[in-house]
Amino acid sequence: MEAHCSGLGRKRKREELNGETEEACFRKRPRRTLGLTEPAPFADELVAANAPYARVSMDEARRGTPEHRPVRVYADGIFDMFHSGHARALMQAKCLFPNTHLIVGVCSDDLTHKFKGFTVMNEDERYDAVSHCRYVDEVVRNAPWTLTPEFLAEHRIDFVAHDDIPYISAGSDDVYKHIKEAGMFAPTQRTEGISTSDIITRIVRDYDVYVRRNLQRGYTAKELNVSFINEKKYHLQEHVDKVKQKVRDVEEKSKEFVQKVEEKGIDLIQKWEEKSREFIGNFLQMFGPDGALKHMLKEGKGRMLQAISPRQSPSSSPVREERSPSPTFRLPFFTSSPFFSPPPPHHSGSHYAGKDEGD
């Protein structure tokens, strides 16, 4: 539902009125509720109005009433454990018309326990909770279960806001039936997924958890209406849960440690693979078929062969002259021996000459 609340200057959408299209602008109106600074007042604490009671029609309310005459909308309920579903319903009631004064009726404990059931919050707590809602302008304590014409006239109510689902109670198929027939009913929408019954169901479902929590916070077993045996049972469960939590913490730490070890192991394996590839590459580069060592050995072998092999004469070197045969070697102390005689000359042109010839 689009909100059209008092105190907000807002341009109204075009709508057809009497076959003509008009555009109306809502003026800023002073906020009548004190909810933003103070809780809403109770109806029995306000001065009764002396002006005659005259209801406004639905069309007049939608068009916007004068500033001194807001549309008085009434919404009632139990409002036990006041939650966002209650606040949203009251927001819708407040925003039904441009100029709205919202009156909220809250039923007493006796009436509620009689027709509906036991409540978690007592009536004073429920009155106070509703009075602090920002959308509420006035609170009616000890509101009636069924709205009578006298009650409507006393509080000068123009419309009654509630969800459109028939409310079966107090021997009636719908307690708002006569309000709907009188044309005073203004429907609102329920907020799905949250209600007082749902919240109580959650508490009942998790009863042990909440009891143990409150025992841990310092509440006594007597305050919680817990027997001695159940108290010991809850303390034992609390101790067991603490042990389980410690075990879970150890498991989590162990998992984290194992995970870190695995990550480091993976890093080491990756580094080892990288180093091994680098080592193999260097090895092949040095000792492989075309490695540097083969070239070094080949080059060294060539240098060694070159060093031990004789050098050839250069082709441009001069031809050496043929040397004369070496003279016959003889010992000087054998020349005069009678047993030794020089060999005869081979040819007449011999340069060798004996001693006698010289004589």
Side-chain angles (χ1 to χ4, degrees), residues 123-150:
E123 58 184 27
D124 293 329
E125 293 171 338
R126 293 184 286 111
Y127 297 154
D128 187 63
V130 173
S131 68
H132 285 83
C133 179
R134 62 181 299 178
Y135 309 111
V136 179
D137 298 297
E138 185 179 335
V139 178
V140 176
R141 294 182 285 195
N142 193 16
W145 198 261
T146 302
L147 302 179
T148 62
E150 293 76 17

Side-chain angles (χ1 to χ4, degrees), residues 56-277:
V56 297
S57 64
M58 183 67 73
D59 293 337
E60 291 175 345
R62 289 177 176 173
R63 282 198 300 267
T65 56
E67 183 178 349
H68 65 277
R69 176 57 172 95
V71 180
R72 295 175 67 86
V73 178
Y74 177 81
D76 58 357
I78 310 302
F79 301 105
D80 189 20
M81 302 182 67
F82 192 85
H83 51 74
S84 63
H86 296 142
R88 288 177 178 274
L90 297 180
M91 178 187 70
Q92 293 179 56
K94 177 70 175 178
C95 298
L96 284 171
F97 308 108
N99 186 16
T100 303
H101 181 85
L102 180 60
I103 308 167
V104 180
V106 183
C107 299
S108 63
D109 286 345
D110 293 338
L111 202 61
T112 304
H113 298 166
K114 179 180 178 181
F115 291 106
K116 189 169 185 179
F118 190 74
T119 58
V120 177
M121 300 168 62
N122 59 43
E123 58 184 27
D124 293 329
E125 293 171 338
R126 293 184 286 111
Y127 297 154
D128 187 63
V130 173
S131 68
H132 285 83
C133 179
R134 62 181 299 178
Y135 309 111
V136 179
D137 298 297
E138 185 179 335
V139 178
V140 176
R141 294 182 285 195
N142 193 16
W145 198 261
T146 302
L147 302 179
T148 62
E150 293 76 17
F151 178 83
L152 297 175
E154 178 186 357
H155 294 279
R156 313 172 68 83
I157 296 171
D158 296 313
F159 298 98
V160 176
H162 200 273
D163 61 82
D164 203 13
I165 301 174
Y167 197 88
I168 302 173
S169 180
S172 175
D173 294 338
D174 189 0
V175 296
Y176 298 103
K177 183 178 180 180
H178 64 289
I179 302 295
K180 295 176 181 178
E181 292 175 351
M184 298 176 62
F185 189 79
T188 57
Q189 299 294 325
R190 291 179 63 88
T191 301
E192 298 296 334
I194 184 169
S195 66
T196 302
S197 299
D198 293 338
I199 296 174
I200 294 175
T201 300
R202 298 177 199 173
I203 297 173
V204 172
R205 181 186 59 197
D206 300 326
Y207 170 77
D208 291 346
V209 176
Y210 293 119
V211 171
R212 287 164 52 189
R213 183 184 68 178
N214 288 339
L215 286 173
Q216 190 177 5
R217 289 181 175 180
Y219 288 89
T220 63
K222 185 177 180 180
E223 291 174 334
L224 298 173
N225 196 24
V226 175
S227 64
F228 176 79
I229 296 176
N230 286 335
E231 180 185 7
K232 299 303 178 185
K233 181 186 73 174
Y234 292 136
H235 284 305
L236 179 60
Q237 289 178 349
E238 188 71 25
H239 180 70
V240 172
D241 288 346
K242 288 182 179 180
V243 174
K244 289 182 179 179
Q245 185 63 38
K246 289 182 180 179
V247 173
R248 285 194 291 267
D249 294 340
V250 172
E251 289 179 353
E252 291 295 331
K253 291 181 180 179
S254 300
K255 289 180 181 178
E256 292 177 1
F257 176 75
V258 172
Q259 186 176 1
K260 289 181 180 179
V261 171
E262 289 179 353
E263 292 176 355
K264 290 184 178 180
I266 293 173
D267 292 339
L268 290 174
I269 291 173
Q270 292 177 350
K271 290 181 180 179
W272 181 83
E273 289 179 351
E274 293 175 359
K275 293 296 182 181
S276 61
R277 291 194 191 98

